[in-house]
Amino acid sequence: MATGQAQKLAKWALMPSVAALSAWAFIPLALTFYFAFLRYNLQDPDNTGWAGFSNFYYFFKDPFFIKDLINTVLLVAGVIMATVVGGVLLALLLDQRFWGRGIVRLLVISPFFIMPTVSSLVWKNLILHPVFGLTAEIQRWFGFAQPFDWFGKLPLFSVGLIVAWQWLPYAALILLTALQSLDEEQKDAAAMDGANRFNYFRYIVLPHLSRPITVVILIETIFILNTFAEIKVTSVGGFAGNLTYLVFSQLNDANDVGMAAAGGLIAVVLANMVSALLVRLVGKNLET
Amino acid sequence: MGSITLDHVSKTFGGHTVVPDASLTINDGEFVVFVGPSGCGKSTLLRLIAGLEDVSGGRILLDGRDATTEGPAQRGLAMVFQSYALYPHMTVRQNIGFPLLMAKLDKAEIERKVQDAARILNLGDYLDRKPGQLSGGQRQRVAIGRAIVRAPKAFLFDEPLSNLDAALRINMRLEITELHQQLKTTMVYVTHDQVEAMTMADKIVVLNAGRVEQVGSPLDLYRKPANRFVAGFIGSPKMNFLDGAEAERYRAHSIGIRPEHITPTRDKGRWHGRIGVAEHLGSDVFLHVALDGGLGHLTVRTPGDMAVSHGDEIWLTPDDSRIYRFDKAGLALDHTS
Ligand SMILES: Nc1ncnc2c1ncn2[C@@H]1O[C@H](COP(=O)(O)OP(=O)(O)OP(=O)(O)O)[C@@H](O)[C@H]1O
Ligand SMILES: [Mg+2]
């Protein structure tokens, strides 16, 4: 009985924050929903009224839609692959005992604290730039007269590189904490059982990491679906744009609020579908 | 096929010497128990034998072959850990079969051996469960199963029963002894429970601060402890020690009397004292007696249900033929009997 009352009280006590959170999530979504069915183009302000589903129709028909959808998927999948594999390797490395480990760990985490716009600028102008960049300098040192133009030739890969650089620390950090929670006696037991280093990794460490890897995949999917700054700052939206970028360009280049809102909704629905699919596929790992 | 020899083995952890110099022979098929107080280096010694730690000096021989530089897998020994160290994501079947998988046996062979082990250990119904779904005793059995499948030269147990409750511990104690009778494989068993040591061992090794204090059969150690440390460690309740004038009478620096070798009486005897706590166990009574004249405290064990209680006066008489005499350094002087 006491618990019943306490639960009731807890419900009431939670109400204000639940209300605030719902409003916070709901109002923008509701407005987007509303705009998506309006004729609402800033270049044609007199043409108003309900648009029915035409905004959605034209968003799908947009010549960039399919390409940007594919880019979105490639970007998410590629970055996750790179950060999970790289994160596991980095975590294994950081788990070793070596001199200056504390400092190195701090340095490894740092990319995560840099704003996407800033890191994009650094990558664009200081590292990958075909004339002033670090990679260009290295290539010239090796005797290439015409250094490789990363953003020109491999725009999506370059964006992925920047995003992966930002997310690698996150993956490594999560996986490192998981590694450290691995019971030392398991290592001893595996050694007694005749497992060499590879088998120890394959049969003991990797299964132990499956749960944190699932978490990394889920979180990264949600965030990387929304990649925008890296594409905008490096000006490769025309080639490596994703759905988020397409929504932006509807609004910014075409000034079509209604179409952008429709695109936003489509993106939300797609993101939810991907997440639901992922949760089904890998979420099993999170049980028990 | 399973003798272990430690030849002047030492172990130092970063300047801190844990095992100064240990020499020991364990014969094939023996059940050897390492006992000693906490932190005395029992686990370290076991891990040195297992190959999980490298020796700082000396040699380890297995069946006469120098195994000092071999890795844990090459030595062909199996270990059961205190926390069991089961692989949590594998089923019982996979756990038990893991050493065989690592030894690259084929599937059918692995399955057959796993079934055999499961039968010996009564684990048949649990093969498809994960360790998290098992009780402490069942986990213990899986750990033992993982050890027996590959027919090791010797088993190493590090306090395998210390996480179990009292009833289960007695059960598993019997099971392990039974297993030893069945397999006749060398077993090295670490514990600080001296009942386990006395009941299970063919040979007990008493360790103190990394030194081997004495090696012998349980009754040897009980009857002829080499020094005061062993005398105090083996036997329950602990041996009583008296020094000063009482020890002088036996021409010793100190004397030891086991609680079960003292006879309490109401009217007369050697020493007079007052009972502090009387612990009635039903079959026995443990009396904690403070002797008059500041001679010290004695624990007395007397069979039956002697009706005594706190504050009673009592006379105590030791069995003179079973008094242990020690010199100044704590070494045993030849037995009075
Ligand atoms: N890896 C290590 N590094 C440094 N010191 C260690 C290490 N392992 C053990 N020691 C030290 O060695 C000593 C003996 O430890 P050990 O674990 O062998 O004791 P034990 O007899 O098994 O004790 P217990 O009965 O409590 O298990 C302890 O003082 C411990 O602090
Ligand atoms: Mg120990």
Side-chain angles (χ1 to χ4, degrees):
Chain A
M1 265 206 301
T3 51
Q5 274 176 353
Q7 272 172 1
K8 220 181 213 168
L9 188 67
K11 245 181 225 164
W12 283 107
L14 279 173
M15 281 301 278
S17 27
V18 171
L21 276 174
S22 331
W24 182 56
F26 183 72
I27 292 175
L29 191 65
L31 277 177
T32 311
F33 201 77
Y34 173 58
F35 290 157
F37 291 94
L38 288 184
R39 272 199 297 264
Y40 189 171
N41 192 322
L42 299 177
Q43 280 170 349
D44 190 6
D46 296 333
N47 182 8
T48 58
W50 291 106
F53 282 93
S54 69
N55 282 330
F56 293 91
Y57 177 75
Y58 287 111
F59 191 84
F60 280 125
K61 293 295 276 186
D62 190 297
F64 279 101
F65 177 75
I66 295 292
K67 193 166 81 87
D68 286 359
L69 182 65
I70 293 173
N71 281 345
T72 307
V73 172
L74 287 180
L75 188 65
V76 170
V79 170
I80 285 180
M81 211 112 80
T83 53
V84 166
V85 173
V88 168
L89 295 177
L90 198 57
L92 285 176
L93 196 69
L94 292 177
D95 195 33
Q96 308 297 315
R97 254 181 226 119
F98 58 85
W99 190 83
R101 180 166 72 162
I103 301 262
V104 171
R105 280 186 188 172
L106 203 66
L107 287 177
V108 166
I109 306 310
S110 51
F112 201 52
F113 296 122
I114 298 176
M115 274 187 288
T117 36
V118 175
S119 57
S120 305
L121 277 174
V122 169
W123 276 89
K124 180 189 177 189
N125 293 326
L126 297 180
I127 301 178
L128 298 181
H129 195 282
V131 179
F132 315 115
L134 187 66
T135 52
E137 193 60 41
I138 293 173
Q139 287 174 70
R140 272 195 294 272
W141 193 80
F142 278 108
F144 293 92
Q146 188 72 52
F148 191 70
D149 179 5
W150 292 92
F151 292 104
K153 301 264 171 52
L154 292 174
L156 187 60
F157 177 84
S158 307
V159 168
L161 193 65
I162 302 174
V163 178
W165 180 78
Q166 287 170 339
W167 281 94
L168 182 64
Y170 170 78
L173 190 66
I174 299 265
L175 297 174
L176 177 62
T177 28
L179 273 185
Q180 286 174 335
S181 74
L182 182 57
D183 185 6
E184 273 290 307
E185 273 196 348
Q186 301 235 334
K187 190 175 193 167
D188 292 340
M192 294 299 295
D193 287 344
N196 56 24
R197 290 170 79 102
F198 173 77
N199 282 332
Y200 173 62
F201 177 75
R202 157 101 173 62
Y203 289 102
I204 314 293
V205 177
L206 213 49
H208 178 75
L209 291 183
S210 67
R211 228 187 260 209
I213 286 177
T214 310
V215 171
V216 167
I217 291 178
L218 286 176
I219 302 272
E220 285 194 9
T221 306
I222 292 164
F223 280 88
I224 297 169
L225 276 174
N226 296 325
T227 303
F228 176 71
E230 291 82 354
I231 298 169
K232 174 71 181 143
V233 170
T234 57
S235 336
V236 292
F239 311 99
N242 57 2
L243 285 182
T244 316
Y245 190 85
L246 184 60
V247 172
F248 164 79
S249 65
Q250 293 296 350
L251 187 65
N252 192 62
D253 307 339
N255 286 320
D256 193 334
V257 178
M259 187 104 120
L265 282 185
I266 290 167
V268 166
V269 169
L270 284 178
N272 274 306
M273 274 161 53
V274 171
S275 306
L277 186 75
L278 269 180
V279 169
R280 284 193 83 105
L281 280 180
V282 286
K284 278 186 309 205
N285 277 329
L286 290 176
E287 283 160 24
T288 64
Chain B
M1 272 291 290
S3 73
I4 302 169
T5 307
L6 305 187
D7 180 20
H8 295 287
V9 165
S10 64
K11 178 65 188 175
T12 306
F13 285 113
H16 171 59
T17 301
V18 175
V19 178
D21 178 9
S23 292
L24 183 68
T25 304
I26 296 167
N27 298 319
D28 181 32
E30 248 176 353
F31 198 119
V32 175
V33 174
F34 290 178
V35 286
S38 191
C40 71
K42 304 181 293 291
S43 298
T44 305
L45 212 50
L46 203 67
R47 293 169 59 83
L48 287 170
I49 295 174
L52 292 171
E53 303 278 358
D54 293 327
V55 298
S56 305
R59 295 188 309 154
I60 294 175
L61 308 179
L62 299 178
D63 291 329
R65 169 179 51 94
D66 190 340
T68 317
T69 55
E70 288 180 359
Q74 286 168 286
R75 297 192 186 190
L77 308 175
M79 185 149 169
V80 176
F81 296 84
Q82 182 172 1
S83 67
Y84 317 138
L86 299 177
Y87 310 124
H89 52 274
M90 296 187 199
T91 62
V92 169
R93 173 180 279 110
Q94 290 166 326
N95 262 285
I96 297 179
F98 188 67
L100 304 176
L101 184 69
M102 292 298 101
K104 299 201 172 68
L105 267 61
D106 66 69
K107 270 213 179 97
E109 181 87 354
I110 293 178
E111 180 60 21
R112 195 176 55 74
K113 294 199 170 185
V114 169
Q115 291 290 354
D116 280 351
R119 194 164 28 74
I120 295 177
L121 295 163
N122 279 324
L123 282 170
D125 299 339
Y126 307 106
L127 281 177
D128 292 313
R129 294 215 198 157
K130 299 244 171 104
Q133 302 162 313
L134 298 177
S135 72
Q138 289 162 347
R139 282 180 215 182
Q140 181 62 69
R141 267 188 225 139
V142 176
I144 294 175
R146 192 173 62 182
I148 62 177
V149 270
R150 62 202 157 115
K153 291 193 192 113
F155 291 97
L156 310 174
F157 292 92
D158 192 355
E159 307 204 29
L161 308 186
S162 56
N163 288 341
L164 302 179
D165 67 51
L168 201 52
R169 202 179 311 174
I170 293 172
N171 234 333
M172 287 304 295
R173 199 168 81 201
L174 292 174
E175 279 188 33
I176 292 177
T177 312
E178 183 61 39
L179 195 67
H180 181 240
Q181 302 292 347
Q182 251 180 52
L183 301 175
K184 304 213 178 333
T185 309
T186 313
M187 292 191 177
V188 184
Y189 188 102
V190 166
T191 180
H192 50 227
D193 179 328
Q194 66 136 319
V195 178
E196 278 175 29
M198 294 298 283
T199 54
M200 300 172 91
D202 293 323
K203 189 153 101 182
I204 296 182
V205 177
V206 183
L207 297 168
N208 183 24
R211 280 189 315 277
V212 176
E213 293 280 347
Q214 192 174 0
V215 181
S217 72
L219 284 183
D220 266 353
L221 298 194
Y222 179 82
R223 291 200 187 114
K224 300 193 197 83
N227 53 44
R228 222 180 122 150
F229 179 82
V230 176
F233 201 82
I234 301 287
S236 171
K238 271 171 64 114
M239 184 185 276
N240 299 291
F241 293 103
L242 292 174
D243 37 35
E246 287 305 314
E248 291 291 307
R249 290 216 282 174
Y250 293 90
R251 298 180 322 287
H253 181 261
S254 62
I255 55 169
I257 315 152
R258 292 200 185 276
E260 51 272 41
H261 300 151
I262 300 175
T263 315
T265 39
R266 291 280 185 195
D267 36 14
K268 61 176 192 300
R270 172 83 57 82
W271 299 304
H272 181 257
R274 195 173 286 279
I275 296 174
V277 177
E279 296 172 297
H280 294 271
L281 276 71
S283 59
D284 293 305
V285 190
F286 296 165
L287 307 175
H288 299 270
V289 182
L291 298 183
D292 290 351
L295 285 179
H297 292 259
L298 291 184
T299 307
V300 179
R301 173 183 189 159
T302 180
D305 40 11
M306 191 180 189
V308 285
S309 56
H310 188 89
D312 285 2
E313 294 192 7
I314 195 124
W315 289 91
L316 302 177
T317 312
D319 176 350
D320 265 342
S321 68
R322 301 178 106 159
I323 292 217
Y324 299 84
R325 306 184 309 130
F326 303 98
D327 67 12
K328 206 164 176 169
L331 292 179
L333 297 163
D334 42 330
H335 221 258
T336 42
S337 58

